[in-house]
Amino acid sequence: MTKYENQIPTTAGMSIKSLTSILRDSMRRHVERRPSGNIPMEHYQAATTEGVSEQSQVTWFGHSAFLLEIEGHRLLFDPMLGDRPSPVSWVGTKRFSKDLPMKPENFPTLDAIVISHDHYDHLDASSIRKLKSKTDRFIVPLGVRKRLIKWGVPASQITEHQWGDEFSFKGLTFACAPARHFSGRGLFDRDSTLWCSWVILGRETKVFFSGDSGYGPHFKEIGSKYGPFDLTLMECGQYDERWSNIHMMPEETVQAHLDVGGNVLIPIHWGAFTLAYHAWNEPAERVTRAARTLNVSVVTPVIGETVALNNVTHTTRSWWRRNQD
């Protein structure tokens, strides 16, 4: 079996000592790991089924799922739109919100669906089955094709890529770039598929999506080659010092944004599921505080809210607080 590796030595922090402390933390109830009530959400309304505005904009669907509308194209990233990021529907953390900004079966036509890696909170079988008729192109890292074929996606509609690949698609340039993470969906397939970040370059707009990643030198390398970026979508949730090699701490998220040469930062990988031991809204608190310290423009949209890249000032309210600013 093929095994993929990170650019630098990376452990997941699963020593006996760490596992013991994780078990202890799992039994504690002093942290609000789920919101106590409903969180705000907006319903996504596509302009038309076929027509897409030339205005570049992004709509976050919670966790790492987002729709990028860039220069007349619609790209959907890591569309985990199911109830639980789990191999079975009745086990695991449940989505915070009872509804979605738009159900998968109601999505408009998509130019492509782009995947960063095969973990359940990024690649969801039920979502793919409902979305596969909405597009004829899936863009994935090496090894992920087999997952999609199993769920009924024609092999001819899937392109696989490795770190360093650059390719053109409908007038956009894509680059499959490194991330510091791991992969696998079972007990015996760890690192059998590749994980990655994505660079998307239009005529006038440049976007970077981190995927899941610990902090590392690859961010500066990506920034040096492809930056600066108008927008970065960077993971900032489900972190812990014990596994910080594979998931950035929020302060590292801001630094990684600076490393790639980002202008506006949208923090993602939070707001939908409980996968770590921090408070559900702590990622937003910490990343916005770090952004203020480093004078970084950070945008925190409500789930389902569309952010136009040339108008981001209205999306910085602290909606995750009971008493908003």
Side-chain angles (χ1 to χ4, degrees):
M1 183 190 302
T2 300
K3 289 283 187 179
Y4 296 95
E5 297 180 352
N6 286 294
Q7 288 181 315
I8 59 177
T10 300
T11 61
M14 294 295 107
S15 65
I16 296 298
K17 182 179 179 181
S18 292
L19 290 172
T20 301
S21 64
I22 288 170
L23 178 61
R24 182 190 64 234
D25 287 351
S26 69
M27 294 185 287
R28 291 178 174 174
R29 297 289 184 267
H30 66 281
V31 173
E32 189 179 11
R33 295 175 63 202
R34 291 182 62 90
S36 57
N38 293 328
I39 60 174
M41 186 191 70
E42 294 186 7
H43 288 278
Y44 172 73
Q45 297 291 334
T48 65
T49 301
E50 301 300 332
V52 184
S53 171
E54 287 292 318
Q55 167 64 56
S56 293
Q57 56 191 28
V58 64
T59 307
W60 180 48
F61 284 77
H63 204 62
S64 292
F66 65 92
L67 180 69
L68 176 64
E69 296 172 278
I70 178 171
E71 299 179 3
H73 303 291
R74 283 197 186 104
L75 309 171
L76 183 60
F77 289 77
D78 285 8
M80 196 303 171
L81 303 174
D83 289 335
R84 300 178 192 267
S86 169
V88 290
S89 61
W90 63 90
V91 175
T93 177
K94 193 169 184 179
R95 184 179 293 274
F96 297 160
S97 58
K98 296 179 180 179
D99 200 0
L100 290 165
M102 176 174 281
K103 293 181 179 180
E105 56 268 28
N106 295 333
F107 265 76
T109 300
L110 302 165
D111 289 281
I113 293 176
V114 186
I115 304 298
S116 68
H117 65 295
D118 70 358
H119 283 159
Y120 287 96
D121 57 323
H122 294 259
L123 181 62
D124 176 59
S126 65
S127 300
I128 295 297
R129 289 189 176 106
K130 294 173 182 176
L131 287 164
K132 64 186 179 183
S133 64
K134 305 293 183 178
T135 186
D136 57 10
R137 181 70 175 267
F138 288 79
I139 299 172
V140 304
L142 290 177
V144 177
R145 173 189 276 121
K146 63 188 177 187
R147 313 288 194 202
L148 303 182
I149 292 174
K150 181 179 179 181
W151 303 331
V153 178
S156 60
Q157 296 182 7
I158 309 165
T159 59
E160 286 190 321
H161 303 277
Q162 62 185 333
W163 296 344
D165 281 0
E166 295 181 14
F167 57 97
S168 295
F169 175 66
K170 296 191 175 182
L172 302 172
T173 297
F174 286 73
C176 180
R180 190 182 181 198
H181 199 54
F182 69 107
S183 67
R185 293 173 70 85
L187 295 176
F188 307 107
D189 65 349
R190 186 182 174 103
D191 300 340
S192 63
T193 63
L194 188 61
W195 50 95
C196 71
S197 58
W198 286 104
V199 171
I200 307 95
L201 309 176
R203 298 183 306 275
E204 300 178 354
T205 305
K206 299 167 71 173
V207 176
F208 175 70
F209 168 43
S210 69
D212 278 4
S213 181
Y215 184 72
H218 61 285
F219 289 115
K220 285 187 177 180
E221 295 166 2
I222 292 167
S224 177
K225 186 171 184 178
Y226 297 107
F229 292 94
D230 300 285
L231 173 69
T232 70
L233 297 109
M234 309 283 276
E235 77 140 322
C236 83
Q238 321 317 319
Y239 51 79
D240 192 292
E241 290 286 357
R242 291 166 293 199
W243 56 76
S244 59
N245 283 343
I246 55 173
H247 284 294
M248 288 183 284
M249 309 300 284
E251 295 76 17
E252 292 175 319
T253 297
V254 177
Q255 186 57 55
H257 167 84
L258 292 172
D259 288 354
V260 300
N263 180 23
V264 173
L265 163 65
I266 295 182
I268 58 174
H269 206 245
W270 74 286
F273 306 104
T274 296
L275 300 174
Y277 299 103
H278 55 69
W280 77 273
N281 54 3
E282 182 185 289
E285 289 290 335
R286 288 180 61 169
V287 77
T288 53
R289 182 166 62 245
R292 286 194 298 269
T293 299
L294 296 176
N295 197 30
V296 165
S297 297
V298 61
V299 178
T300 53
V302 169
I303 293 173
E305 180 179 2
T306 297
V307 177
L309 268 60
N310 66 351
N311 179 21
V312 297
T313 57
H314 66 293
T315 56
T316 54
R317 65 189 185 277
S318 302
W319 59 264
W320 57 88
R321 296 177 182 168
R322 288 189 177 90
N323 297 311
Q324 295 185 18
D325 293 343

